[in-house]
Amino acid sequence: MNPQNTSGKFSLPVVPLSFLALIVVCALLFWWLRPDDGRGERSDPRGPVGIGRFEPFRTAGGFLHTNGIIKTEELRKDDGSWRGTTSSGIRLDATYRYDIELRSKWNFYIDDTRKTALIVAPLYKPELPVAVDSRTVQEWTSSGWGRFDKWDQLQALRQEISPFLAAKARSKAYMDLARGDARKTVEEFASDWLLKTNRLAQKAPYLVKVYFTDEPDIPFPENKTIKDFLP
C-alpha cells in the first residue's frame, strides 16, 4: 500500500533568485530607456508652473543694424568616472546680429581739399541674446552602465546655450569677421545722411571713409587728434 499525503498543505514553487534579478534588471532598463518628452524632464500634467513674463521694452534713440552672421554651433559635455561616461551634445544654427547705438557720439570731418569725408563711428556691438532657429536644434545624450544622469546633464547643457553664444558674439574672432560688413553699412548710412543734410554736394565725388573708435590707424586730418573724434 502506498502512503497517502493527508496533510492537505500546498507548497509554492521555489522561484530562483536569478529569475527575480532578471525581472528587476528588465524593469530598470525599461525605466531608463523609456522615451523622453524632449525636454530632459517628465512633463507635468498640470502644465507650466508659475506666471510667465510679458515685459514690453523699447530702444531709446534706436539702433543702426549693421550686419549679421549665421553659423552652426555645437555644445558638448563629457563626464566620466569608473561607472562610465555621460555625454551630451547640442547642435544649432545661431544668428549673430551687430548694431550701433544711434545716440552714441558720431564724429565726422569733411576735407574739401581731398574730397574726403572722414567718419569716426561708435563701435558696433552684438545684439544679445543671440537668436537661435529652433527648427535646427539637435540634441543627443548617453550614459555609462552605472550612471543615471544623462537627462540632467542635457538640461544643464541647455542652460549654457545663451552664455556660450554671447561669448562667441563678443569674441575677437567674430568681431573681426563682422567688421568689414559693418564698415560698409556705416559708409552707406553716412553717405545718405550727409547728402540728405546737405553736408556734401549732391554731385560731388566725395569719398566716404569710415573708422571705428577701437581702430588705432585712423588717418586724422591736420591739427586733429583722437580726442576730437572719440565719443
Side-chain angles (χ1 to χ4, degrees):
M1 176 182 289
N2 295 328
Q4 296 181 356
N5 185 1
T6 59
S7 62
K9 295 182 178 180
F10 179 76
S11 59
L12 295 173
V14 178
V15 179
L17 291 178
S18 59
F19 181 72
L20 292 175
L22 179 62
I23 293 177
V24 172
V25 170
C26 291
L28 288 174
L29 287 176
F30 174 78
W31 176 84
W32 183 244
L33 298 176
R34 71 195 189 283
D36 188 69
D37 65 358
R39 300 178 302 163
E41 57 187 13
R42 302 302 153 195
S43 59
D44 189 338
R46 298 171 300 173
V49 179
I51 301 175
R53 296 176 61 184
F54 182 76
E55 301 178 9
F57 64 92
R58 74 180 190 90
T59 303
F63 283 94
L64 171 64
H65 176 56
T66 58
N67 61 302
I69 302 169
I70 299 177
K71 188 176 184 300
T72 300
E73 302 287 6
E74 183 173 326
L75 294 81
R76 185 177 180 88
K77 179 177 288 188
D78 300 288
D79 184 14
S81 70
W82 64 271
R83 295 182 293 120
T85 301
T86 300
S87 300
S88 299
I90 300 175
R91 183 182 174 92
L92 51 83
D93 285 354
T95 300
Y96 300 90
R97 294 183 173 91
Y98 293 89
D99 304 317
I100 295 177
E101 186 178 354
L102 289 174
R103 275 192 170 180
S104 296
K105 188 176 180 181
W106 294 66
N107 293 276
F108 65 93
Y109 175 79
I110 299 176
D111 188 343
D112 293 320
T113 303
R114 293 185 295 177
K115 299 295 182 181
T116 301
L118 178 66
I119 310 294
V120 181
L123 182 63
Y124 53 95
K125 297 179 181 179
E127 181 181 316
L128 299 177
V130 177
V132 173
D133 186 349
S134 61
R135 297 170 298 180
T136 67
V137 176
Q138 303 175 46
E139 299 177 337
W140 63 94
T141 186
S142 62
S143 57
W145 65 272
R147 301 181 66 100
F148 305 95
D149 59 346
K150 63 179 183 179
W151 299 120
D152 292 335
Q153 187 192 66
L154 180 60
Q155 180 64 18
L157 192 61
R158 291 178 181 137
Q159 300 297 319
E160 298 178 12
I161 292 177
S162 291
F164 173 82
L165 296 180
K168 286 277 190 180
R170 296 190 186 102
S171 68
K172 184 178 185 302
Y174 281 49
M175 291 288 287
D176 288 346
L177 184 62
R179 187 173 296 268
D181 285 340
R183 191 189 312 278
K184 181 180 294 185
T185 299
V186 175
E187 287 177 354
E188 295 169 349
F189 172 77
S191 298
D192 293 342
W193 177 73
L194 289 172
L195 287 174
K196 290 178 180 179
T197 56
N198 296 322
R199 301 274 182 171
L200 295 178
Q202 294 290 332
K203 296 182 180 180
Y206 275 77
L207 177 64
V208 176
K209 298 290 291 182
V210 172
Y211 296 88
F212 296 108
T213 53
D214 68 329
E215 296 176 333
D217 55 346
I218 302 176
F220 296 108
E222 187 178 357
N223 298 324
K224 295 288 183 179
T225 65
I226 186 65
K227 294 182 181 180
D228 298 309
F229 291 89
L230 285 177

